[in-house]
Amino acid sequence: MRELREQPLDPVAEQEVIDSIEEVYFSTDSFDMVQYELEKLPPELNLQELEQYRDTLKRQQAAVSKKVADLILEKQPAYVKELERVTALQTNLQLAAVICTNARRQLGVAKEGFTEACLGLLANQRRRQLLTGLLQSLRTIKTLQRTDVRLSEMLEEEDYPGAIQLCLECQKAASTFKHYSCIRSTHTHAHTSEQLDVALSKTCKHFDVVHYTKVQRAYSLLGKTQMAMDQLHMHFTQAIHNTVFQVVLGYVELCAGNADTKFQKMQYKDLCTHITLDSYIPCLTDLCKALWEVMLSYHCTMQWHEEHDKQETPPGNEESDESVDRSYVKKKLEHGLTRIWQVGFICSAVAHQFFRCVLILSRLLRTCGEEFCDSKSEVLQESIKRQSVNYFKHYHRARLEELRMFLENETWELCPVKSNFNISQLHEFKFLGQCRSPSVSPSKLASSGAVPGLELGLFQQYLQEGNPFEMHMEQKEEESEDVLASNGYESDELEKSVYQEYDSDSDVPDELKQDYVDENTGDAPLKSISQETIRSKKRSDYNLNKANQPILTNTTLNVIRLLGKYMQMMNILKPIAFDVIHCVSQLFDYYLYAVYTFFGCNDTYEASGLGLISSRLRSTLNRIQESLIDVETAEGAVVHGPPEERKEKVPSPHLSQLVNLSNSSALFGLAQRVVATESLVFLAEQFEALQSHLDSMMPPAKKPFLQQFYSQTVSTASELRKPIYWIVAAKALDYEQMLLLMAGVKWDIREIMSQHNIYVDVLLKEFEQFHQRLADVSRHVRIPLPVSNVLWEHCIRLANRTLVEGYANVKKCSNEGRALMQLDFQQFLMKLEKLTDLRPIPDKEFVETYIKAYYLTENDMEQFIKNHREYSMKQLANLVNVCLGSHINKKARQKLLAAIDDIDRPKR
C-alpha cells in the first residue's frame, strides 16, 4: 500500500480510479465494507479473479489516501492562522470577566449607601397621597348610597324625570369611582331602567297622557328615545299575547271545572281547542275587546307623538339629534301599526260553527284594521274566506239533508199566515230594513253586519269610553214575529162568510174585475175585457175571500228563512257571495225538483200531445238531476263516481205516505197539489223580489250565473202548473165512458136532427161535478184564479180531443150525421160557457175544424192533410175513408193515405 501511495499517478488516471469507486462506500460511517465485499463473492471462488479484484480495491484505496493527504497539505496554512485567532479571543474574554466582577462590587456599595433610603421616602409619600384620595372617595360613595334611597322614593312616586335627573347626577359624580368594586356593585341605574321599562309597559293596556309624558321625558333625559320605541313595540306585542292567553285560559279553566289539566303550560293554539261550544262566542268577544284596548292605547300613543312633534319641532334645525329621534319614532310607530294589527287579529280570530257571530266580529276587526293602520287585512280576509267556504260546504250540506227530511215528512197542508205576510216580517230579513233605515243604533247595525261608527271613526267614537265589541250577540231579535194567523183566516167574520154563496159582482175581488189570465201563457194581458166576462168571474173564483192570503207550507217557510240566513252571511262576508248564491240556488232547485217528482212526474206527458213541459223546464229538470240529485243512492244501486262529486249531491226525496193522491172525491190530492205548486210559485216570487239585492252583492264576473239562475230556473216555477194539474184533469172526468157513448151513436142518418145526443149531457154532467168538487176543495185550500184556469183548460182540452177521437172512430157518416156532430158540439159549448169564464174555449177550433173537414173535396183534403199536422194519422185517415170514401176511387184514396204516411210528424 505504501508503494502504491508513493507511486506517481497521473491526476486524470487518479480521478478515474476514484470515480470507479462504488457510491455505497461514500454513504455513511456505519457502512461495513468487509461484509459488503464478502456478500458480493460468487458461489464458486476463482483465485485469479479474487486477486485481480483485490488489486483493484488496493489501487482505489491508495488513490483515496493520496487524495486526502494532498488536501491536508493544501489547507495547512489556513489552519495555523485560525488557531492563532482562537487563542487571542480566549485572552480577551478573561479580561472582560475581571472588569464585570469589579463593576458589580462597586454597584452593591452604591445601593447600600444611597438608593434604598431615598426610594423608601418617595414610596411613603405616594402612599399618603393615595390614602387621602381614598378617604375623599369613601365620603363620596357614602353620599351616593344615601342618594339611592331617595331615588327609590322618587320611582315609587312615579317621578320618572326627577329620578332620571338625580340618577344622571349620581352617575356623573361617580364616574371617577367606577373602578371601585363597591361602585360597580350598585345597581341604581339598572334598577331605574327596569322601573322605567315597567312604567312604559303599563301604557300598552291603559294609556294615560300624564303617565306617558313622564316616561317619555325620562327616556329623553337618558338619550334613549329610539330604544324606548323599540321597547314599546315589544311590550305591545307581549301585551297582546299575554292578554289573549289569559282570556282563553280563564274560559278553558271555567269550562273544565275541577279537571286536573295543566292548561297554563299549553301553547295558545292548543289551549283554544279546549273552548266549548257554549263559551266560544263570549270568549271571542272578550278577545276582541282586549285587542281593542291595546289598539286604542297604540292609537293614543301615536296621537301623543304627533301633538308633541308639532309643539317641539325646532325651526331651521332639521339635522339635530332631536329631529333624528322624532323621525325614527314616527317611522317606527307607522311600521308598528301593521305589525301590532297582524299579531292582534291572529291571536283573536278563530273560526268555529258560530259563523254569523264570527263574521260580524271579523268584519268589525277589519274596520278596526282599516282605521288603525290602513290595512285591508288580506291575511284575515283570506283566512275567513277559506274557513267560510269550508263552513258552507258542511253547513249547506246539512241544510239540504234537513230540507230533504222536511219534504219527506211534509203533508202539504196550508201554513196559516196572515194575508199581509211579507218576508220582511221574518227575523232573518230584518237586516234588509236596518241597512236601509237612516236611524239605526250602532248595536243593531253591528248585529246585522253593518259596521258602527263609520261616520266618526271607531277610535274617535270610543276614545273616551266604551268598546265597539260590546254588543249583544244573542240570536233572538228585539221584536217578535207575528206572521201566523190563528186559524187560517183574518177574523171571525171572514171565517163565517167563507162558505156563503154570493150572487152579486160586489163580492168579486177587484183584481178579478181588472184582467184575466190567458190559458196559453198564464200571463195577464193589458187589454181590457168585456163586461160579460167580468160578470162571469164568479163561476171560476174559488178564492172564497182569501185572495190575498199566501199559499205556503212549513217547508216553504223554512226555505225562506234559510234564504234570509244565507243573505245575512253574504252581506257580512262578500268575498264568498258567489258560493252562497250557489247554495241558495241549490235550495230552490231541490224544492222545485221535489214538487215535480211528487206531483208532476208522469210518463204520459209526451203521449198527450199537449206540450205540457216546455224545453226550458225540461232542461232545468235535467240539469238539477245531473248536478244535485244522487240518483244511485236514491235507487239503492251500487254507488259509483268520485266521493267528492257525490258529496255535493242529495238523494231524491220521497213523498210522504200520509199524502193520498188517489182519492177521486178529493180530486186526486188537488189540495196538496195546489199547496205544493203555489208554494213553489210563492217562493219564486220572493226570489224575484230579492233579485236586485242579490245582484248588488254578486261579483261582476259572477253576475251571469245569477241572471241565468233567474231566467232558467226561477221563472220556470209557474210552468210546473201545467204538468201537475194535468194529472188531475186527466183523472177528474171519465173520458173513456164518453168514447163508449159516442161509439153507440148512429151517424149515417138521413134526416136533420134537432136534439143533441146523450153523451153531451153526460159530459156536461161530468163538468158540473168537477166544478162542484173544485168548490169543495176550495173550502180547505184557496184555489187561485191561474190554477182554476189551468185546470179548466186541461179538462176542456182533454174533452175536446176526446170528441175528435170519438168522431175519428166513426165508420159511417152522412151529411146529416155531420150536422148532428155540429149540433152536439154547439150544445156542449153553450152549456160549458155557463160553467166557466175561461175565454176563449181551449181547442174549440180543433174540434170545429175537424168536423168541417167532412165537407172537403179531394183536392182540399190533400191540402188539409199538409196544413193540419195537429191531428193524428188515425184521425186524418178516418176523414179520407169515411168522408171521401164514396166520392173518390180507390187510387185517389190510396194517394191521400200515402200522403198521410209520408208526413213527418214531430212528437209533441
Side-chain angles (χ1 to χ4, degrees), residues 470-754:
E470 291 177 350
M471 62 179 71
H472 298 286
M473 301 302 295
E474 294 84 358
Q475 298 296 325
K476 61 183 181 179
E477 300 288 339
E478 295 179 359
E479 300 177 359
S480 60
E481 288 183 347
D482 187 17
V483 296
L484 299 180
S486 58
N487 52 11
Y489 302 100
E490 295 299 311
S491 63
D492 294 339
E493 289 75 11
L494 278 177
E495 186 176 4
K496 292 177 182 178
S497 63
V498 160
Y499 306 110
Q500 293 179 357
E501 298 291 337
Y502 47 91
D503 300 322
S504 63
D505 289 345
S506 60
D507 294 329
V508 180
D510 293 338
E511 63 269 21
L512 299 185
K513 297 179 182 179
Q514 295 174 359
D515 53 20
Y516 70 97
V517 176
D518 186 81
E519 75 273 10
N520 295 322
T521 64
D523 298 327
L526 298 177
K527 61 183 180 179
S528 60
I529 57 178
S530 62
Q531 293 295 325
E532 178 64 26
T533 304
I534 295 177
R535 287 193 294 271
S536 64
K537 285 291 183 183
K538 60 184 179 181
R539 291 193 292 268
S540 295
D541 182 16
Y542 304 98
N543 288 330
L544 296 179
N545 284 350
K546 297 185 289 182
N548 295 327
Q549 183 179 4
I551 297 178
L552 68 159
T553 65
N554 288 327
T555 304
T556 316
L557 203 58
N558 181 61
V559 174
I560 294 175
R561 292 184 185 275
L562 284 179
L563 173 61
K565 293 178 181 178
Y566 282 22
M567 290 181 65
Q568 289 183 40
M569 297 177 184
M570 289 173 60
N571 190 46
I572 295 172
L573 195 62
K574 290 182 175 58
I576 64 166
F578 173 71
D579 301 276
V580 181
I581 284 290
H582 185 258
C583 295
V584 169
S585 67
Q586 288 186 343
L587 293 176
F588 187 86
D589 288 346
Y590 197 69
Y591 193 89
L592 183 146
Y593 186 84
V595 173
Y596 166 74
T597 54
F598 289 172
F599 303 104
C601 187
N602 195 296
D603 296 334
T604 61
Y605 286 154
E606 304 298 334
S608 67
L610 297 176
L612 298 173
I613 297 185
S614 64
S615 59
R616 183 177 64 168
L617 179 58
R618 174 65 63 188
S619 62
T620 298
L621 293 172
N622 291 338
R623 177 189 61 78
I624 296 174
Q625 183 170 345
E626 293 174 0
S627 63
L628 186 61
I629 304 303
D630 191 355
V631 181
E632 295 177 339
T633 302
E635 295 176 355
V638 180
V639 178
H640 301 286
E644 295 79 9
E645 183 179 348
R646 291 192 59 256
K647 279 184 178 180
E648 303 296 330
K649 295 185 177 183
V650 187
S652 179
H654 301 285
L655 183 63
S656 173
Q657 296 180 355
L658 300 177
V659 180
N660 185 6
L661 301 180
S662 59
N663 187 4
S664 60
S665 61
L667 280 180
F668 307 96
L670 178 61
Q672 288 80 7
R673 296 177 191 270
V674 170
V675 171
T677 309
E678 299 312 304
S679 66
L680 175 64
V681 174
F682 177 80
L683 184 62
E685 292 173 353
Q686 309 313 308
F687 271 80
E688 292 283 357
L690 295 171
Q691 182 178 4
S692 60
H693 187 82
L694 295 175
D695 186 74
S696 65
M697 293 189 289
M698 280 288 285
K702 301 295 184 179
K703 287 188 177 182
F705 171 82
L706 184 64
Q707 296 172 357
Q708 183 179 9
F709 168 66
Y710 272 91
S711 61
Q712 298 294 329
T713 305
V714 177
S715 59
T716 61
S718 60
E719 296 181 9
L720 277 181
R721 286 171 172 165
K722 285 190 176 182
I724 291 177
Y725 297 136
W726 180 85
I727 298 176
V728 176
K731 298 179 180 180
L733 277 68
D734 192 351
Y735 305 103
E736 294 296 332
Q737 180 188 10
M738 187 170 64
L739 287 175
L740 294 176
L741 292 175
M742 293 179 69
V745 176
K746 186 177 182 182
W747 299 105
D748 56 346
I749 57 178
R750 296 301 176 186
E751 59 181 12
I752 301 297
M753 303 296 294
S754 60

Side-chain angles (χ1 to χ4, degrees), residues 326-584:
R326 282 193 293 270
S327 177
Y328 178 84
V329 169
K330 182 179 180 181
K331 292 180 180 179
K332 190 71 175 180
L333 288 173
E334 291 174 352
H335 174 72
L337 283 172
T338 306
R339 182 168 178 264
I340 295 298
W341 165 242
Q342 290 178 349
V343 172
F345 82 73
I346 288 174
C347 290
S348 60
V350 185
H352 211 271
Q353 56 260 45
F354 294 93
F355 200 67
R356 179 175 176 271
C357 298
V358 175
L359 293 183
I360 292 172
L361 293 173
S362 67
R363 183 173 180 179
L364 198 54
L365 273 174
R366 293 201 307 272
T367 305
C368 291
E370 291 179 6
E371 290 192 21
F372 184 68
C373 59
D374 196 22
S375 170
K376 299 300 181 181
S377 305
E378 291 83 358
V379 179
L380 175 62
Q381 293 191 45
E382 183 61 30
S383 175
I384 292 296
K385 180 180 179 180
R386 182 175 62 256
Q387 297 176 21
S388 301
V389 172
N390 294 334
Y391 166 78
F392 264 110
K393 287 182 180 179
H394 297 86
Y395 179 81
H396 179 62
R397 175 71 186 183
R399 300 291 75 75
L400 282 177
E401 291 290 345
E402 183 182 90
L403 178 58
R404 181 168 73 96
M405 181 191 68
F406 269 91
L407 290 169
E408 292 183 345
N409 291 277
E410 180 64 67
T411 58
W412 303 103
E413 297 291 338
L414 188 66
C415 180
V417 296
K418 292 188 175 182
S419 59
N420 63 346
F421 170 75
N422 189 282
I423 59 173
S424 61
Q425 300 170 354
L426 299 175
H427 293 325
E428 290 77 7
F429 292 91
K430 291 293 181 65
F431 75 98
L432 292 176
Q434 292 172 351
C435 290
R436 292 190 294 265
S437 176
S439 57
V440 182
S441 64
S443 61
K444 290 184 179 180
L445 278 173
S447 62
S448 66
V451 180
L454 285 180
E455 295 81 3
L456 296 176
L458 291 174
F459 291 97
Q460 286 75 15
Q461 184 178 359
Y462 297 98
L463 184 60
Q464 300 299 329
E465 59 181 354
N467 193 308
F469 293 95
E470 291 177 350
M471 62 179 71
H472 298 286
M473 301 302 295
E474 294 84 358
Q475 298 296 325
K476 61 183 181 179
E477 300 288 339
E478 295 179 359
E479 300 177 359
S480 60
E481 288 183 347
D482 187 17
V483 296
L484 299 180
S486 58
N487 52 11
Y489 302 100
E490 295 299 311
S491 63
D492 294 339
E493 289 75 11
L494 278 177
E495 186 176 4
K496 292 177 182 178
S497 63
V498 160
Y499 306 110
Q500 293 179 357
E501 298 291 337
Y502 47 91
D503 300 322
S504 63
D505 289 345
S506 60
D507 294 329
V508 180
D510 293 338
E511 63 269 21
L512 299 185
K513 297 179 182 179
Q514 295 174 359
D515 53 20
Y516 70 97
V517 176
D518 186 81
E519 75 273 10
N520 295 322
T521 64
D523 298 327
L526 298 177
K527 61 183 180 179
S528 60
I529 57 178
S530 62
Q531 293 295 325
E532 178 64 26
T533 304
I534 295 177
R535 287 193 294 271
S536 64
K537 285 291 183 183
K538 60 184 179 181
R539 291 193 292 268
S540 295
D541 182 16
Y542 304 98
N543 288 330
L544 296 179
N545 284 350
K546 297 185 289 182
N548 295 327
Q549 183 179 4
I551 297 178
L552 68 159
T553 65
N554 288 327
T555 304
T556 316
L557 203 58
N558 181 61
V559 174
I560 294 175
R561 292 184 185 275
L562 284 179
L563 173 61
K565 293 178 181 178
Y566 282 22
M567 290 181 65
Q568 289 183 40
M569 297 177 184
M570 289 173 60
N571 190 46
I572 295 172
L573 195 62
K574 290 182 175 58
I576 64 166
F578 173 71
D579 301 276
V580 181
I581 284 290
H582 185 258
C583 295
V584 169

Side-chain angles (χ1 to χ4, degrees), residues 80-90:
V80 174
K81 185 179 181 179
E82 189 66 24
L83 184 61
E84 292 176 353
R85 292 179 59 191
V86 170
T87 304
L89 178 61
Q90 183 178 6

Side-chain angles (χ1 to χ4, degrees), residues 801 804-810 846-847 849-858 860-885 888 892-906:
R801 291 177 180 269
V804 173
E805 187 66 22
Y807 296 150
N809 292 331
V810 174
F846 183 78
V847 181
T849 302
Y850 189 81
I851 296 175
K852 292 177 182 178
Y854 278 85
Y855 300 97
L856 297 177
T857 62
E858 178 183 348
D860 294 336
M861 181 60 71
E862 185 175 359
Q863 189 65 32
F864 180 87
I865 292 172
K866 294 179 180 179
N867 296 336
H868 293 276
R869 299 188 178 186
E870 66 271 17
Y871 298 106
S872 65
M873 295 179 63
K874 173 188 173 184
Q875 294 168 353
L876 293 175
N878 180 268
L879 290 176
V880 174
N881 293 325
V882 177
C883 300
L884 302 177
I888 60 176
R893 183 186 302 110
Q894 293 297 330
K895 178 183 178 181
L896 292 174
L897 292 177
I900 294 174
D901 293 335
D902 293 341
I903 293 176
D904 184 18
R905 298 179 178 276

